[in-house]
Amino acid sequence: MESVTKPDREVRVEAKPRDTSDSHETVFEIAGLTVTYGSVTAVEGVNLDIRSREITALIGPSGCGKSTVLRCLNRMNDLIPSARVGGKVLYHGIDIYDPGVDPVEVRRRIGMVFQKPNPFPKSIYENVAYGARIAGIRDLDGVVEESLRKAALWDEVKDKLDTSGMALSGGQQQRLCIARALATDPDVLLMDEPCSALDPIATLRIEELMLELKDEYTFVIVTHNMQQAARVSDRTAFFSIEVTPQGRRGRLVEYDRTEKIFTSPSQKETEDYITGRFG
Amino acid sequence: MVTRSPASDARLGAEAVRRALTAKRADTRGLVFRLALLTCLLVSLLVLVVLLADTVLGSLSVWRTRGLADFVRSPLSADPAVAGIWQAFYGSAILMAFVVALAVPLGVATAIYLEEYASDSRLAQVINANIRNLAGVPSIVYGLLGLALFVKALGSVTGPEVFGRSLISGGLTLAPLALPVIVIAAAEALRAVPDSIREAAVGVGATPWQTIRHHVLPVAAPGILTGIILSVGRAFGEAAPLLLVGGITTFFQQAAGSGFLEVLQGRFSALPVLVFSWSRLPQEEFRALTAALIVVMLVLLLAINGTAIYLRQRYEKEL
């Protein structure tokens, strides 16, 4: 759900050749999402619609629950035994937390790239081919080349596909992880602070990559870096921490088109964060 | 007295700084500590060297007069001139095969379940604590278990001709002895696999089984392997439980020309059992034979551990 905007405020919109119209289909409908780890509530009452073929950024201070929300979108939180998810996460209208839904099938459609590059300790080829192989895809050579090309890594590694993925540089490893996620031809790619361990040049390459690929894939990116959100995303969700008698918990403050969030946010809290007054 | 500080040195100029930086303080306590550590190391090393040298020197006469092949391949005998270790050598080999065949699959499977499927449950914590205690149980207690269960209760199955005091009973007694060490080592190796690898596999749509089989186990394999070999090494050297379940301490005739099942159900000996019995025999010649037997055991243990190190390094290189 988008928060209320104030129409009387002047909006300085940058001239971007980017399609920010509302014609994009909704991929995720998140309604009343609450996640608890044991007795700690990480995030509460999140309502968010994520649109197809767009880059949606989740920003906010540490501990605001933005990564938790991201990890709900492909049921990655299932790996944490104490995590409990309430509310609804509808993916193309289907609640992925419905007992009848197979989480493995969910993750084949909704790929993920993690904060720290985590290639398998196997060859570059095997890293990319793995997801496709277990999904039953036959033409692995083709998939590997196509995925590595899409991840802008093919030219750098085409002559050493059988060397270990761990031997690559950090930025290359992260692009390898993107290629690995692309190999199953997912619908959505979740990026959990994908550049936080990378230098500025490697970061830029990942950002360019996302912009190139967004015509084919839907991206949701969690980032600590506000400039990054401003550079790549179409929509931005700002999360913050609310201190309650029961403890600190994350909540969604504002969700809107990125240029609106960064130029004329409707909430004072958002503006304070964007302008660097806190967090 | 004027207290000096880095800042005051700097104010006094380059010469004062140079003097302060190059004036070496004698670290007497550090030196003494280091020497004490070195002494401890040398003392424990010395004990080992004396023990080894004594054994090897004591065994020399056997190697000179009999040779390794004759010593290993001759059957047990009360006559020191012809006594060999064949039945015990053979018995130990089969016992180790039992341990590997029974304890490794059970132990690794237990560890996988505890770590990958039930890591946080109360049940897993209780089981974990119990397994750690089991690893510390004296081996003679396993011998008592073997005596009560495999020899007495199941004797008609494990060794009908020999009142249950068979190779099968020996193997079944040693396997649970090795089991807890394998579980602990395998669980620790699995715990050392970074979660990022599990996340990566699950993230591309691997099922929990595929994640474990394709990614977690290969990474944990060197650690699991080391645990297996260490526990097999421990079982290899155990004499007490085998004495209880009927390891033959003198000499016996292996049923000639019988099938493998008959061998398994028949009487047996093992190398550590033989060390125990030979060292008690009155004839002076058995001193040298015992030393030679111990040298054979040490070489075998070294070979086992060497294989572990080799396999481990090869596995790690592949990653």
Side-chain angles (χ1 to χ4, degrees), chain B residues 213-227:
Chain B
R213 174 67 194 83
H214 298 152
H215 301 287
V216 177
L217 274 184
V219 175
I224 295 177
L225 208 61
T226 310

Side-chain angles (χ1 to χ4, degrees), chain A residues 153-229:
Chain A
L153 192 60
W154 175 251
D155 290 331
E156 292 159 61
V157 303
K158 65 183 174 199
D159 298 323
K160 50 174 183 177
L161 289 176
D162 56 347
T163 59
S164 172
M166 309 289 270
L168 298 173
S169 73
Q172 288 175 322
Q173 285 190 14
Q174 196 61 302
R175 276 180 283 143
L176 180 63
C177 292
I178 294 174
R180 176 176 70 191
L182 292 174
T184 54
D185 198 24
D187 175 28
V188 183
L189 270 183
L190 307 178
M191 317 276 276
D192 190 0
E193 295 185 40
C195 302
S196 62
L198 305 183
D199 66 57
I201 293 168
T203 300
L204 201 64
R205 298 204 64 168
I206 304 276
E207 289 178 8
E208 285 166 1
L209 202 57
M210 291 174 66
L211 291 172
E212 279 164 31
L213 292 171
K214 73 168 213 173
D215 295 334
E216 289 177 74
Y217 303 97
T218 305
F219 283 94
V220 185
I221 177 173
V222 163
T223 177
H224 261 303
N225 181 335
M226 278 184 289
Q227 285 75 35
Q228 182 167 62

Side-chain angles (χ1 to χ4, degrees), chain B:
Chain B
M1 188 186 138
V2 184
T3 48
R4 289 180 46 201
S5 73
S8 70
D9 281 344
R11 269 178 236 115
L12 285 172
E15 185 53 31
V17 172
R18 199 190 63 81
R19 239 182 292 123
L21 286 180
T22 54
K24 277 188 188 141
R25 248 173 302 183
D27 183 13
T28 325
R29 283 180 187 201
L31 201 67
V32 168
F33 184 59
R34 200 175 142 175
L35 282 177
L37 291 178
L38 188 65
T39 314
C40 291
L41 170 75
L42 288 178
V43 165
S44 44
L45 209 62
L46 194 70
V47 171
L48 201 67
V49 167
V50 168
L51 211 64
L52 266 177
D54 183 51
T55 311
V56 171
L57 287 177
S59 71
L60 284 180
S61 65
V62 174
W63 307 132
R64 264 200 300 270
T65 56
R66 302 274 303 276
L68 177 67
D70 182 53
F71 179 63
V72 172
R73 299 228 299 264
S74 298
L76 305 181
S77 168
D79 176 6
V82 295
I85 59 168
W86 179 244
Q87 289 101 320
F89 186 84
Y90 182 79
S92 274
I94 306 244
L95 288 173
M96 290 312 104
F98 254 99
V99 169
V100 170
L102 291 176
V104 169
L106 269 176
V108 174
T110 304
I112 291 174
Y113 181 77
L114 287 178
E115 282 303 311
E116 302 294 322
Y117 290 97
S119 56
D120 256 19
S121 69
R122 179 59 59 87
L123 179 72
Q125 285 168 5
V126 171
I127 292 175
N128 254 323
N130 273 305
I131 288 173
R132 273 167 203 285
N133 283 335
L134 274 182
V137 168
S139 58
I140 191 96
V141 176
Y142 287 95
L144 287 172
L145 167 83
L147 182 63
L149 190 61
F150 306 123
V151 176
K152 293 275 192 294
L154 299 171
S156 56
V157 185
T158 54
E161 310 281 314
V162 293
F163 309 106
R165 304 172 151 258
S166 67
L167 203 46
I168 295 181
S169 294
L172 290 175
T173 305
L174 283 189
L177 183 100
L179 191 61
V181 182
I182 295 179
V183 175
I184 291 170
E188 241 136 57
L190 289 169
R191 212 170 305 145
V193 175
D195 272 338
S196 65
I197 287 183
R198 293 185 183 86
E199 287 184 336
V202 168
V204 291
T207 62
W209 161 243
Q210 286 169 332
T211 304
I212 292 167
R213 174 67 194 83
H214 298 152
H215 301 287
V216 177
L217 274 184
V219 175
I224 295 177
L225 208 61
T226 310
I228 289 171
I229 301 215
L230 285 179
S231 66
V232 168
R234 185 190 166 196
F236 177 75
E238 284 296 348
L242 293 179
L243 286 169
L244 274 183
V245 296
I248 300 293
T249 56
T250 51
F251 54 94
F252 69 100
Q253 203 86 76
Q254 203 131 44
S258 49
F260 192 57
L261 183 65
E262 279 73 36
V263 171
L264 291 182
Q265 287 183 330
R267 295 136 78 75
F268 74 101
S269 190
L271 296 173
V273 172
L274 204 57
V275 172
F276 169 75
S277 70
W278 276 6
S279 62
R280 296 190 314 163
L281 289 175
Q283 294 101 311
E284 195 52 45
E285 295 93 325
F286 273 108
R287 298 290 88 76
L289 287 173
T290 309
L293 173 53
I294 293 171
V295 169
V296 169
M297 283 190 71
L298 283 176
V299 169
L300 285 174
L301 261 179
L302 239 132
I304 293 176
N305 287 341
T307 315
I309 294 168
Y310 170 73
L311 286 175
R312 189 188 174 119
Q313 282 178 344
R314 215 187 58 179
Y315 237 120
E316 277 174 352
K317 221 176 277 168
E318 274 172 24
L319 298 180

